[in-house]
Amino acid sequence: MENKIMTFNLRVDIPQDGPNVWANRAEAASKVILDHEPLVIGTQEGKLHMLKDLDNQLPKYDWFGEGRVGGLEDEFCAIFYNTQLLECVETGQFWLSEQPEVANSVSWNSCFPRICTWGHFRFKQEPNKEFIVYNTHLDHISQEARENGIALIWERLNQQYKEENVPILLTGDFNSEPDNPVIQFLRGLAIINNQTVHMQDAFKKLTKKPGKTFHNFKGGQSGEPIDYIFCTTDIVVERLEVDRRQIGDVFPSDHYPVVMTFRLS
């Protein structure tokens, strides 16, 4: 079985979406996950009832995370993982603020509290093989919040990488197109807060432009991505796919899921 990881903004459930409310998309969202069978899915914008719906339809998977205001309230950056193949060794979450351990904390003109959830996984059949996944959703309004948020994530990710020497993947909706300093930073082409990143952008595996990943339930490809998968250099990126399917007559979300096939070097 191939090792796959998915990043998937589920689109929060709000009545204003009319025919695209979650109740009409839950089965499609589950199907797109089941079709790819990823080891791990980094989700964004899921509320508790949405995550429970997925949990009921994904019997091989479990999930963890807190809401962005703490506990089980508001939106999650929940991480799902295949419990038949993976053991979850440790999990954590922090807030993208000047008080990262304080639930519901907000800094840098962020429109909402923003979070990063992470988990450390071990293959059950190959316990010497491990990896860590960080999953986030950066602010959609404040560039200051996006830049400081991603700098905080890199600081923590890099520290854990140095201490544990375990490959790390970063999934998320970064609300940033490729020319944004946030993505340039993650690609090692820009400096934020005196930090320099050493990671791979999975989109580099494509031989053509990836196209947009947010489509507002309208479909199409023309545009730029805002959903990404990055990883440390000890991970081999084998393939990258943006799944643009409608399932039945609905899109699973207003974002396309992004799926990376990888192996641990």
Side-chain angles (χ1 to χ4, degrees):
M1 181 177 177
E2 294 180 316
N3 299 329
K4 293 183 178 181
I5 184 168
M6 173 186 287
T7 187
F8 192 8
N9 183 319
L10 300 171
R11 174 57 176 177
V12 68
D13 186 17
I14 54 172
Q16 297 94 298
D17 281 345
N20 294 309
V21 295
W22 174 251
N24 296 338
R25 300 185 287 109
E27 189 172 335
S30 300
K31 178 170 171 44
V32 78
I33 292 170
L34 291 169
D35 285 351
H36 288 283
E37 292 189 297
L39 289 171
V40 176
I41 311 105
T43 69
Q44 303 89 37
E45 290 196 21
K47 289 198 170 184
L48 185 60
H49 70 282
M50 300 167 64
L51 302 176
K52 286 182 175 179
D53 286 343
L54 289 180
D55 199 31
N56 289 335
Q57 297 184 57
L58 303 174
K60 294 181 182 179
Y61 292 82
D62 199 357
W63 66 274
F64 56 86
E66 289 184 63
R68 64 187 181 190
V69 301
L72 301 177
E73 298 297 322
D74 213 321
E75 297 176 18
F76 290 67
C77 284
I79 297 177
F80 284 76
Y81 66 100
N82 187 323
T83 59
Q84 295 188 348
L85 300 175
L86 298 176
E87 173 191 359
C88 187
V89 179
E90 186 181 9
T91 69
Q93 181 165 303
F94 56 93
W95 274 256
L96 306 186
S97 79
E98 293 172 334
Q99 298 174 292
E101 313 309 327
V102 177
N104 202 28
S105 56
V106 178
S107 299
W108 310 308
N109 296 308
S110 182
C111 190
F112 297 110
R114 295 295 183 177
I115 54 178
C116 182
T117 306
W118 63 270
H120 185 160
F121 302 98
R122 181 179 295 135
F123 284 90
K124 288 186 173 180
Q125 297 301 316
E126 299 177 273
N128 61 320
K129 287 191 174 183
E130 303 173 70
F131 62 95
I132 295 168
V133 175
Y134 279 62
N135 177 52
T136 195
H137 187 185
L138 299 184
D139 199 66
H140 65 304
I141 298 293
S142 169
Q143 179 67 16
E144 181 187 6
R146 286 190 288 268
E147 291 187 19
N148 282 285
I150 202 62
L152 176 61
I153 290 170
W154 169 248
E155 180 182 333
R156 295 215 167 190
L157 184 159
N158 191 40
Q159 184 65 33
Q160 190 169 20
Y161 184 59
K162 289 177 178 177
E163 291 175 355
E164 301 188 25
N165 194 29
V166 173
I168 300 181
L169 302 104
L170 170 62
T171 60
D173 173 358
F174 296 96
N175 274 309
S176 303
E177 295 186 350
D179 61 352
N180 189 290
V182 166
I183 305 306
Q184 295 297 299
F185 173 67
L186 288 171
R187 289 176 171 174
L189 302 174
I191 296 171
I192 296 178
N193 295 352
N194 297 314
Q195 297 188 95
T196 304
V197 170
H198 308 285
M199 295 188 85
Q200 305 176 77
D201 180 354
F203 278 129
K204 293 295 185 181
K205 194 65 180 178
L206 297 178
T207 57
K208 58 182 181 180
K209 287 190 173 183
K212 66 183 177 184
T213 57
F214 170 71
H215 59 92
N216 199 27
F217 294 115
K218 295 177 181 176
Q221 182 171 344
S222 179
E224 299 285 4
I226 63 172
D227 304 89
Y228 299 82
I229 301 173
F230 287 85
C231 59
T232 50
T233 56
D234 46 5
I235 290 173
V236 178
V237 180
E238 296 186 321
R239 289 195 308 280
L240 193 284
E241 175 186 355
V242 181
D243 191 330
R244 293 189 164 89
R245 291 178 296 159
Q246 275 184 289
I247 295 178
D249 59 353
V250 298
F251 285 105
S253 174
D254 64 346
H255 287 243
Y256 297 123
V258 180
V259 186
M260 184 183 92
T261 305
F262 70 97
R263 59 186 169 88
L264 304 177
S265 63

